[in-house]
Every structure is written in structure tokens, then in C-alpha cells.
Amino acid sequence: MKRFRRHWLRSQSPRRSVLLWNPAEKVGLFLVCIFIAIISSYKLLAVPELRPGDLSPFDAIAPREDVITDSSALKKKRSELQALTFVKVIDKKETENLLSKLNNNLKNLQLLIENNEVERSEIKLKAKERYWLYNQYKENKEKWQKEIIFVSKNMLSQGLVKNLAIDQLKDSAALQLSLFNPVNSTSNSIGSKLIAKTFEGKTNLKHDPTRSQKLFEEQISKQGIPKHPLIKKGDLIIQKGDVINQKDFDFLAHFGLIKITPRPTEWFYKFTEALASCGVLILIMRREKPRLKTRQALLSLGLISIVQVSKIWFGAAISPLAIIVPPTLLLSQGIGTASALAWMSIACFIWPAPVTGIEEGRLIIAAISAALVAFLGRRMRSRAELLQIAILLPCLALGGEWFFLRSQFSYIKINSVNLSSGAESLISEAFVVGAIIMFTILLLPIIENTFGLLTSARLMELADQERPLLRRLSKEAPGTFEHTLMICGLAEEGARSIGADIDLIRTGALYHDVGKLHAPEWFIENQEDGVNPHDAIKDPFKSADILQAHVDEGLKLARRYRLPGAIADFIPEHQGTLKMGYFLHQARQKDPSTSEKRFRYRGPNPQSKETAILMLADGCEAALRSLEAKTTDNEACDTVRKIIKSRQTDGQLLESSLTRSEMELVIQGFVRVWRRMRHRRLKYPVSTQKKLIN
């Protein structure tokens, strides 16, 4: 197993660097895996030995006289009463909206009257109705409008049904308007048409779960709980070998004749399955992200725990979309696509309850949606793109769910916990799923800081050159800042050529030399007057300490400005354990026995492809800029190749995962940037230059 694990983790490169976990961290993760395995399989520790449809293994005799609940009839009665006790109440907010809409329609009609354009009204009016509107005094019209509003309030107070036919609405409005004017009057005809047009397809009723449940309980108590006929002591319940029906099962369960026993084999299989799934998840995450931290692995396992508990607690009431998609989005952003897909697959695979029928279709749609999020998540580079997913994905997923339900079932029972096939329930579920995704996006910065995740959106924010630390670098060490921008271009192209993380290397490159802020004048790119302080002190040991200090101070600044660990790693790793050759040479001129170790950076060596590429870009930048304009691409490649070969010989790249073929691609990427940097401009004649100046 140990050899298999090492082969799996290191198969992408013979020198793949994996962050090692200490024993305490491993034990903690193992305990979480055990917890997930337990909650996924505990139901198999108490399973009834008999179920309806099984053959009775014994003759069952009633031990006492009793009247027993008929569970089948009770279930049927509950189902029938559920629809009958669906209480609706007046929605005051919707009532106000409908009255406001009616007032607006009256105002619009008044404007059309004033402009002699009643023919353009949405209400189909007859000639005599238009004539009546044009020839009424202002006082009569105001009185007529008040009557319409009064009647509308009466209708809304009685409740408005959404699917009521428009002619029924018109008749109802006309009947109530007859209190003020004759039934067949022109004013009543216009008013009833206006009210019917405003209220058509609208409702001001909403479901009241509390009153529905209360009425349901009252009806159950009133009608009585259905019972089986009285069974006497000594009566035969079922003979050995007979098929157990629901009635027999009720009797057996009531008298405690059905044993609740564990199924150790099935439990062990389910327990092992869940435990192994957690192990596979961690293995895939470490393969994709070798520097995976324990808290990041703990995050993925914690999300699985939450999902498993939610499945058990809420049962069929919870939407698979709501518990599968948001964690997948989070992991794809913070860790990677492969890890997110693995998490989604395992969360669907170890579902604690059997999934059949409608739930199976919903789970498939949730898995497809989550897979789409896993593929797109890593490519999203801003919070705005994440918000677009939060809006579009629930609509697409719920559209697919609606299509599935409509194609498979013509009617689905509605209660307080089951999914309704109606459009309103699906739209509500879409809003809930979208809200959960938005809440996840809102929490993303907190989760990033807590668990050490680094999303593309976070990297883009850190790469903003207006951030305080980068602004300080550009002002206090302008030469270092220009050097940083040059290296950014080289490192980005090198990363792009091998498919490395471009956002990570760009951001890391911007901060890799921030430690020079502690003493910018000691570094040649910031020495504008040509005076080198190292020449004044003439102490190679002190100069070496100053060079090492720019790494140490950089790490301090990273902590002070709360830079993520993956960005702070660029500060020491871009120097690795390189030799300070110039000062070592000076020291050995004074004392030939000087140890080379004293003039090496403390490291560590690059632990990832990105930090290794930055080290190479840092070493090649000055050499490429010093090449003459006539230098060919092959000569530039040879120059870069020599520098990389020296780093390789020095052992600086041993712990990175760069292969030889990738190094060659990086070389070509560096040369492409150099080719863009060295382009010539047209030389203007002297007279033209003077004209341009003037």
C-alpha cells in the first residue's frame, strides 16, 4: 500500500514534491473519515428482520387482546387529507401590488382619454363605452374610479384564484359594481373589463403551513385513526411460510415479534465503502495538489460530513442541487477541477438512503450540474463570473428537473416536504439553490483565509498594482519594481507554455522581491547615482547577510500584509539555495578556506513548477536584456539553456516537478518574450524630430 501510494502521488514526475503530514494530522483526518463512514452506514446496525412481502419464518400468535392502527389506511388518509387541508391566506403584499397595478391602469386610461387615444387601450372597448368615457364630467369619473377601487378591495379580501377564467372575473366585478349602478350600465361594463384585465392570471393567496398542519391534525382527530379489527389473545396472526402483507406486518410490529437486528456484513461493506471513498478523495486531492495542507483536506471531508448529515436529517425534502453544487464550486475554485469532480462523485456515491424514482433523476441532474461547475469553476477569474453561475445554473438545472419530472410523472403528491411538480415549487427551489450558491460566494473570502485556499479571483485581486505593498514597492524601490514587471512577463509566458498556473505565477512574481524594501539602495537596480554601498563596507560576509535579509524581510512583510502562503512561498523559493558567487569570490580572496555554505541562500529550493519557473526567469532576465539586437533566436535559446543548466546542475530544480521537456518549452517561452522586448523602432530624421518636439 505504501508503494502504491508513492507511485500514485509521484507518477507525474520522478521528483514530485509532496508535503508531508505529521502523525497528529493523519490521526485527525482518519477520525473524520471514520465519522463519515459511521453516519453513512449506521442504519444497517438496526434493520428489521422481516418486511412486507417476505415469507413468515414462524407461526405468529397474538400475545394479548388489542386494537392496532392500520398503517396502510392511515397513510392513504393522510394523503387524501393533505390536499384537503392545504390552507391559503391573503397575502397583504401581493394585494397591495394588485391595487397599485389597478391604480396605474386607471391613470393610464385617464391619460388616453385626455389625449383622445382611448382606442389604444389594452381593454377592448365598444363605441358607446368610448363615447361614455369622453363625455363624463371629472367629478363623475372620480366617483366611478372610487367605485372600481372599492369593488376591487372587496374581491381581493375574499381571495383571488390564479386560474379563474376572465369571464368569471368580469361577471363577479359587474355584480359588485351593480351596487352603485344598474347591472347593464356602460360604466359597469367598462369597470368590470378593467378589473378583469388587471386581475387575470393573478392571485393574492399564499400557503400557510401552520394553519394547514393544524387543520390536518383536527381532521385526523375528527375522522379518527383507522384501526384493524380487534384481535384477541391467542388468535393466529400468520402461519409459517405465508407471505407477510401490510396488515400482518402491523400486527407483528405492534406486538414486538419482528426483531431489529444488525446486518454486520452489509454494514461492514457500507462502512468500508465510505471509508475507502474518503481515502480515495484525499489521494486524488494530493495528486492534483502535492502541497495540500491538512486543513484543506479537512475542509473537503467536513463538507462531505455536512452533506451526509443533511441527507439523513432532511431526507427527500432537501434538494440534491442545494447540497452538491455549492461545495463543488468551492473546491473547484480553491483546489482544482479533479478534486471537485472526485468530491462530487463520492458525495453522490455514498448516499446513505436508497435513491429511486424521482430522487434518482434529481440526483443525476445535480451531478451533471456539479460536474459543469467543476469544469468551469477553475476558469472563473472574478467574483462577477461566480455570481453569473449563481444566477444561471439554478435556472438551467431546474429546467432540466422540470423536463424530467414532466416526462416521467403526470402527477406528484404535494406536501410540506416533497418536491412539487408545479412551476411555482420549482422556481422557489431555484431561488433557494441560487441563494445558497450566493451565500457560498459571500463566505468564500473567509473560507480562503481559514483554510489557506487560493482562488483565481483572489489572485486577481492580489495582482492589482494599486495594492498598498505594491505601491510602496514602486515608490521606494522603482528599479526593483521594473525588474519585477520584466520577470512577470517572462514567468507568465513560461507558465503558459507548459500549462502551469498563470494567475499564481503572475501574483507570486509581483511580490517575490518585496523584501528589498528594507534596504533598496543595497541592490544595484535601485542605485541611480552609481554608488554601491557594498564597495564602501568591503565586507563580503555582511553583504551576504544583506542579500539573505531581503528574503527574511520579505517573509515578514508577507505576514504583515497577510499574503497567502502560496504567494509567500515565492519569496524564499525563487532564490532557493543559490550561491552568492560575487561575494564568495571576494571572501575567498581574503581567506581561501571560506565555506561555500556561508554564501548560499537558506532556501528552500523551489517546491512547485511555478516557483521554479520564477527562479529561472529571475536568472535569465538580465542575461536576455544584455543580448545585442542582432542576436538570433538560437543564440538566445543557448544563453537561456546555459543558465537553466547551471541551476539544474546546482540541484535547485530537484524538488520541483519540472521535466526536461517542460524546461525546453519554458526556454522557448522566455525567448518569445525576449523577441517582443528587442523590437526596433523607426529612426526619425533630425528635422522630423525637431518638428515633433516643437
Side-chain angles (χ1 to χ4, degrees):
M1 290 298 295
K2 190 174 182 180
R3 287 181 61 189
F4 170 77
R5 181 182 66 82
R6 287 181 175 176
H7 173 73
W8 173 270
L9 293 175
R10 300 170 185 242
S11 61
Q12 290 188 1
S13 169
R15 297 177 300 276
R16 191 169 180 81
S17 175
V18 179
L19 180 66
L20 299 178
W21 295 338
N22 61 49
E25 292 172 333
K26 293 178 181 178
V27 170
L29 289 174
F30 182 71
L31 291 176
V32 176
C33 293
I34 291 289
F35 172 74
I36 294 172
I38 289 173
I39 62 175
S40 301
S41 60
Y42 79 95
K43 288 188 175 182
L44 293 171
L45 295 174
V47 181
E49 286 186 348
L50 299 175
R51 295 178 182 276
D54 293 346
L55 297 178
S56 175
F58 52 81
D59 291 333
I61 306 297
R64 64 182 181 274
E65 182 179 299
D66 209 341
V67 177
I68 298 166
T69 301
D70 187 342
S71 62
S72 180
L74 180 61
K75 184 177 180 181
K76 184 179 179 181
K77 179 173 284 190
R78 284 179 178 274
S79 178
E80 293 171 351
L81 288 175
Q82 198 72 50
L84 298 175
T85 56
F86 195 78
V87 178
K88 289 188 175 183
V89 295
I90 301 296
D91 187 341
K92 293 182 179 179
K93 186 176 180 181
E94 188 60 30
T95 300
E96 291 174 1
N97 291 338
L98 289 172
L99 287 173
S100 175
K101 185 177 179 181
L102 180 66
N103 282 320
N104 290 335
N105 289 343
L106 286 169
K107 290 178 182 177
N108 293 335
L109 183 61
Q110 182 61 33
L111 288 174
L112 292 174
I113 294 170
E114 292 173 358
N115 297 324
N116 293 323
E117 295 178 341
V118 175
E119 295 80 4
R120 293 177 53 194
S121 173
E122 295 180 357
I123 307 169
K124 295 180 181 179
L125 299 173
K126 297 177 181 178
K128 67 175 184 178
E129 292 171 340
R130 293 196 295 271
Y131 178 82
W132 186 88
L133 288 171
Y134 282 131
N135 292 279
Q136 291 300 310
Y137 291 110
K138 183 178 179 181
E139 294 79 7
N140 292 339
K141 286 180 184 176
E142 289 178 353
K143 179 184 176 184
W144 173 70
Q145 290 176 355
K146 290 179 181 178
E147 291 171 357
I148 290 176
I149 293 173
F150 179 81
V151 167
S152 299
K153 288 181 178 180
N154 282 346
M155 292 177 65
L156 291 172
S157 67
Q158 296 168 359
L160 191 64
V161 181
K162 185 175 184 179
N163 53 358
L164 187 64
I166 189 169
D167 57 332
Q168 296 290 318
L169 280 171
K170 198 182 299 181
D171 292 344
S172 176
L175 183 62
Q176 297 208 38
L177 285 169
S178 65
L179 296 173
F180 304 99
N181 301 290
V183 176
N184 296 323
S185 65
T186 304
S187 61
N188 282 10
S189 175
I190 301 171
S192 61
K193 287 181 180 180
L194 183 63
I195 293 173
K197 187 66 178 177
T198 304
F199 292 167
E200 182 185 10
K202 303 294 190 299
T203 180
N204 66 331
L205 299 175
K206 65 178 181 179
H207 176 230
D208 189 331
T210 305
R211 296 190 184 188
S212 297
Q213 183 63 28
K214 184 178 179 181
L215 180 59
F216 175 78
E217 292 173 356
E218 288 175 357
Q219 291 296 320
I220 283 285
S221 301
K222 184 178 179 180
Q223 297 184 18
I225 298 175
K227 303 284 186 177
H228 289 293
L230 175 68
I231 186 170
K232 297 180 179 180
K233 181 178 180 180
D235 286 353
L236 179 67
I237 298 174
I238 190 171
Q239 288 184 342
K240 182 178 180 181
D242 289 349
V243 177
I244 300 173
N245 57 31
Q246 187 61 50
K247 177 182 176 182
D248 299 331
F249 185 81
D250 291 342
F251 284 117
L252 293 172
H254 179 78
F255 290 122
L257 299 176
I258 298 178
K259 293 183 180 179
I260 306 296
T261 58
R263 295 186 179 178
T265 305
E266 295 180 20
W267 171 83
F268 181 76
Y269 172 78
K270 190 73 175 178
F271 180 88
T272 307
E273 179 184 77
L275 188 62
S277 297
C278 294
V280 169
L281 175 61
I282 293 175
L283 206 58
I284 291 173
M285 292 174 67
R286 294 200 75 179
R287 179 180 173 85
E288 183 177 30
K289 189 173 182 179
R291 308 299 295 171
L292 185 76
K293 298 177 182 177
T294 316
R295 53 182 171 167
Q296 294 166 352
L298 190 62
L299 172 64
S300 64
L301 295 177
L303 290 172
I304 285 190
S305 302
I306 294 171
V307 168
Q308 293 297 92
V309 171
S310 300
K311 294 170 188 174
I312 295 170
W313 186 268
F314 295 102
I318 195 164
S319 168
L321 283 167
I323 58 175
I324 297 295
V325 173
T328 303
L329 175 63
L330 175 62
L331 293 176
S332 67
Q333 278 276 298
I335 297 178
T337 300
S339 298
L341 284 172
W343 186 93
M344 179 272 296
S345 303
I346 289 169
C348 295
F349 179 65
I350 59 173
W351 208 271
V355 180
T356 56
I358 300 172
E359 295 302 317
E360 186 176 14
R362 296 176 69 197
L363 184 58
I364 291 172
I365 292 170
I368 293 172
S369 304
L372 181 65
V373 166
F375 281 111
L376 295 178
R378 197 61 180 173
R379 295 185 176 91
M380 296 175 194
R381 304 175 66 200
S382 68
R383 310 287 184 195
E385 290 177 342
L386 293 175
L387 288 174
Q388 290 174 5
I389 281 288
I391 296 170
L392 296 177
L393 183 72
C395 298
L396 294 175
L398 269 299
E401 195 169 277
W402 168 258
F403 176 78
F404 171 78
L405 294 175
R406 294 294 293 177
S407 62
Q408 296 295 324
F409 304 96
S410 59
Y411 175 78
I412 297 175
K413 295 177 182 178
I414 302 175
N415 55 40
S416 59
V417 296
N418 290 336
L419 175 69
S420 170
S421 62
E424 292 182 2
S425 297
L426 290 178
I427 291 171
S428 299
E429 187 174 358
F431 277 116
V432 170
V433 173
I436 293 174
I437 295 176
M438 287 186 180
F439 185 67
T440 303
I441 296 170
L442 184 65
L443 289 179
L444 200 53
I446 300 173
I447 297 173
E448 287 171 355
N449 291 331
T450 304
F451 294 95
L453 300 180
L454 199 57
T455 63
S456 297
R458 176 66 173 150
L459 288 171
M460 295 291 289
E461 292 168 358
L462 289 170
D464 183 2
Q465 295 182 19
E466 291 300 314
R467 293 187 72 86
L469 186 55
L470 294 180
R471 288 296 301 150
R472 184 182 165 193
L473 183 66
S474 65
K475 289 181 179 180
E476 298 180 22
T480 299
F481 187 69
E482 289 303 317
H483 159 77
T484 294
L485 296 180
M486 288 292 298
I487 287 180
C488 266
L490 289 171
E492 276 188 55
E493 191 63 30
R496 188 176 289 109
S497 63
I498 67 169
D501 193 332
I502 299 172
D503 294 326
L504 176 61
I505 201 168
R506 178 195 298 115
T507 309
L510 286 171
Y511 290 94
H512 81 283
D513 264 347
V514 292
K516 291 182 179 179
L517 284 170
H518 84 289
E521 69 280 359
W522 289 85
F523 298 90
I524 193 168
E525 65 267 21
N526 299 312
Q527 296 168 2
E528 297 179 359
D529 54 3
V531 178
N532 191 338
H534 293 284
D535 296 336
I537 61 173
K538 297 180 180 180
D539 185 349
F541 291 95
K542 188 174 181 180
S543 295
D545 291 338
I546 292 171
L547 292 188
Q548 175 60 45
H550 99 273
V551 173
D552 301 335
E553 294 298 323
L555 291 173
K556 291 179 183 178
L557 283 172
R559 287 191 293 271
R560 187 184 308 165
Y561 284 87
R562 303 177 66 85
L563 295 181
I567 302 301
D569 289 342
F570 280 84
I571 296 172
E573 291 180 23
H574 89 279
Q575 293 290 1
T577 56
L578 285 173
K579 184 167 51 179
M580 306 173 196
Y582 179 77
F583 297 116
L584 175 62
H585 176 71
Q586 283 188 337
R588 283 185 171 171
Q589 282 183 331
K590 297 179 180 180
D591 182 7
S593 63
T594 301
S595 172
E596 182 181 293
K597 185 177 180 180
R598 177 66 177 77
F599 288 87
R600 280 189 178 273
Y601 287 98
R602 300 192 189 109
N605 288 335
Q607 303 292 306
S608 66
K609 292 179 182 180
E610 288 78 15
T611 54
I613 292 172
L614 185 65
M615 170 185 273
L616 300 179
D618 195 25
C620 296
E621 182 259 340
L624 286 172
R625 281 206 295 178
S626 65
L627 293 177
E628 297 180 359
K630 296 180 180 180
T631 305
T632 64
D633 287 359
N634 288 335
E635 290 172 341
C637 282
D638 290 338
T639 301
V640 175
R641 196 173 284 110
K642 288 177 184 177
I643 296 172
I644 292 179
K645 182 66 175 176
S646 68
R647 299 287 190 270
Q648 204 173 359
T649 305
D650 197 28
Q652 299 300 314
L653 305 178
L654 284 176
E655 297 178 45
S656 73
S657 54
L658 276 177
T659 62
R660 291 185 179 181
S661 59
E662 288 174 335
M663 290 180 196
E664 193 60 35
L665 292 173
V666 169
I667 291 170
Q668 295 174 15
F670 286 176
V671 172
R672 283 196 296 272
V673 176
W674 167 77
R675 194 186 302 128
R676 296 198 295 265
M677 288 177 1
R678 66 159 186 170
H679 73 280
R680 296 183 178 182
R681 294 186 179 274
L682 292 174
K683 188 174 182 180
Y684 291 98
V686 176
S687 59
T688 305
Q689 292 179 6
K690 289 181 179 178
K691 289 180 181 179
L692 290 172
I693 293 171
N694 294 331

